[in-house]
Structure formats: C-alpha cells, structure tokens
Amino acid sequence: MREDIKRVGLMGGTFDPIHYGHLVTAEVARAKFSLDLVIFVPAGIPPHKKGMKISSGTDRFMMTVLATATNPYFEVSRVELERTGPSYAIDTVRHFKRELDGDTEIFFITGADAAIEILTWKDATELLKECSLIAATRPGYSTCELEKSLEEARLHSTQRINLVEVPALAISSTDIRRRVEQGDPIRYLVPWTVEAYIYKTGLYR
Ligand code: ATP
Ligand code: MG
C-alpha cells in the first residue's frame, strides 16, 4: 500500500447489487473526512444474511469493480470473499491494520440500519477501539434512533464516532432485485455498467 495513504475508509456490504446509495455514501464520507482511499469490501458470508439466497462472490465483486472503476479514490478488496466462515467487520479491520502503515487511521463506513445495530456485532467494543466509525443517514431509518445508538457506541469507543448526512436515496439492493425479477427498470438506480452486467448474466431473474 502506498505510503501517502493515511486515512482509509472501509465500506462493507453485500453489494447484491451495488447501487448509487452505496456510492454516494462512500463519496460523501471520503470528501467530508478527507479520506485518501475508500476500500469497498464485498462480504463473503454476511452474518446477518445467513440462510438467505445471495449472488456469487464473483458476481458481487465484478459489479463492485464496475461501479467504482471511474473513481480514483475507490478500490475493491477480495479479503472477505477469500476468507472462510462468516464475514465479521472486526476481522476485516484487523486485516487492514496489518496491511497498512501503523499510523493510518481506519474509518468504518456504514448506513444507518447497520450502525443502529453496531453494538450487536461480533466484538463490537473491540471494533470501536480499533477504528473510527462514519454512520450515514439512510431513508427509512430514523436519524434520531441512529443518534441514540451512536451515543451509546461512544461509551465503548476510544475513536471518533461520526454521523454524516448523505443525500437521501431511497434505493436498496432488495428493491433492485425485485425490480429485475418483475421486469421494472433499474436505470438511474445503479451505474449503467452494473445494469448491463445484470442483464448480460441474467442475475435476479
Ligand atoms: P439489501 O437490501 O440486500 O440489504 P442494501 O441496499 O441494504 O441491500 P447492503 O449491501 O446491505 O445494501 O449495504 C451495505 C452498506 O451500505 C450498509 O452499511 C448500508 O446501511 C449502506 N447503504 C445501503 N444503501 C444505502 C442508502 N441508500 N443510503 C445510505 N446507506 C446505504
Ligand atoms: Mg442491507
């Protein structure tokens, strides 16, 4: 990793598929917190989606690469896809702490729904000591409830816990999958490269 990379954002998710809600969140966080790099980390086996049908790691990785290709600050990591067992944020943060210079600050970026539940994550209190948190507002999830959860998280954290407001995009991967299945348009909800990949591979039909 380059030596001038000192502030790194990690954007975790299933990305099935990646959409503009993810991209705008990562970009707003990057600009607001002067991040040198945002690494998108598609989950191998998301712990909270056990037993649910998800697309292959290859398809989700490919779509994430296609969606982020034109942003020089964005990269995609295969670390969770290559790890066996459930993908826990704590393992991923520790992986990047080993990879990056000792003085690099890591910011874990999540949307409101994930942030509200952060204290239920595996080794949450350890996680909150190892990295800063950037929690983004998300339509459909109460900002008030988010603030309350962050206040509680602060009691366990030695790092910064930040709330960031991002332009409200009421987009979810669940809705996109349903749209494709029903033959409804997904144009302007995902980058056109991702749309083309979905149609080419027959995903979600
Ligand atoms: P699904 O409907 O399959 O759960 P999703 O749209 O919630 O998909 P995920 O891959 O589960 O997407 O989310 C990854 C991360 O991105 C989470 O932290 C989530 O809160 C955040 N996120 C997803 N969509 C948005 C959005 N529209 N605005 C802000 N944050 C979002
Ligand atoms: Mg989700």
Side-chain angles (χ1 to χ4, degrees):
M1 196 71 68
R2 292 190 342 249
E3 273 172 22
D4 54 335
I5 302 282
K6 292 293 172 219
R7 295 165 70 81
V8 171
L10 296 181
M11 177 86 197
T14 313
F15 304 130
D16 190 17
I18 189 164
H19 54 68
Y20 280 123
H22 301 125
L23 293 165
V24 80
T25 299
E27 180 64 5
V28 167
R30 180 198 68 75
K32 178 155 185 194
F33 295 94
S34 309
L35 304 181
D36 302 309
L37 182 68
V38 176
I39 306 175
F40 287 70
V41 191
I45 305 166
H48 60 289
K49 288 183 179 162
K50 244 183 272 165
M52 289 161 75
K53 195 174 157 251
I54 65 166
S55 304
S56 72
T58 303
D59 282 331
R60 293 180 295 109
F61 175 77
M62 293 291 280
M63 291 189 283
T64 308
V65 169
L66 288 169
T68 55
T70 54
N71 189 322
Y73 295 100
F74 287 179
E75 274 181 17
V76 188
S77 166
R78 296 188 57 89
V79 66
E80 289 193 358
L81 297 172
E82 280 162 8
R83 198 187 296 145
T84 51
S87 301
Y88 295 115
I90 183 73
D91 299 330
T92 301
V93 167
R94 287 188 173 146
H95 164 84
F96 284 106
K97 286 206 119 172
R98 285 193 299 269
E99 291 282 300
L100 298 162
D101 266 8
D103 58 346
T104 307
E105 191 174 357
I106 295 184
F107 295 77
F108 201 85
I109 307 169
T110 69
D113 53 315
I116 284 169
E117 296 184 346
I118 197 151
L119 286 175
T120 70
W121 293 13
K122 181 171 177 268
D123 297 335
T125 52
E126 298 306 308
L127 179 70
L128 292 169
K129 285 180 182 123
E130 303 231 10
C131 64
S132 298
L133 183 71
I134 301 176
T137 53
R138 179 174 186 181
Y141 300 92
S142 149
T143 303
C144 186
E145 199 187 331
L146 175 60
E147 273 167 351
K148 249 190 267 163
S149 303
L150 296 186
E151 211 41 65
E152 207 185 326
R154 279 188 189 104
L155 303 174
H156 301 275
S157 177
T158 48
Q159 309 281 327
R160 268 169 291 180
I161 306 249
N162 312 277
L163 187 146
V164 59
E165 261 198 65
V166 305
L169 295 183
I171 306 175
S172 71
S173 302
T174 302
D175 181 54
I176 290 166
R177 295 193 297 272
R178 194 167 41 221
R179 282 169 176 275
V180 174
E181 196 188 341
Q182 295 175 350
D184 290 333
I186 56 168
R187 196 173 186 183
Y188 310 126
L189 299 175
V190 298
W192 70 267
T193 47
V194 172
E195 182 188 2
Y197 185 90
I198 290 170
Y199 292 147
K200 178 178 169 180
T201 54
L203 279 174
Y204 315 128
R205 277 216 298 260

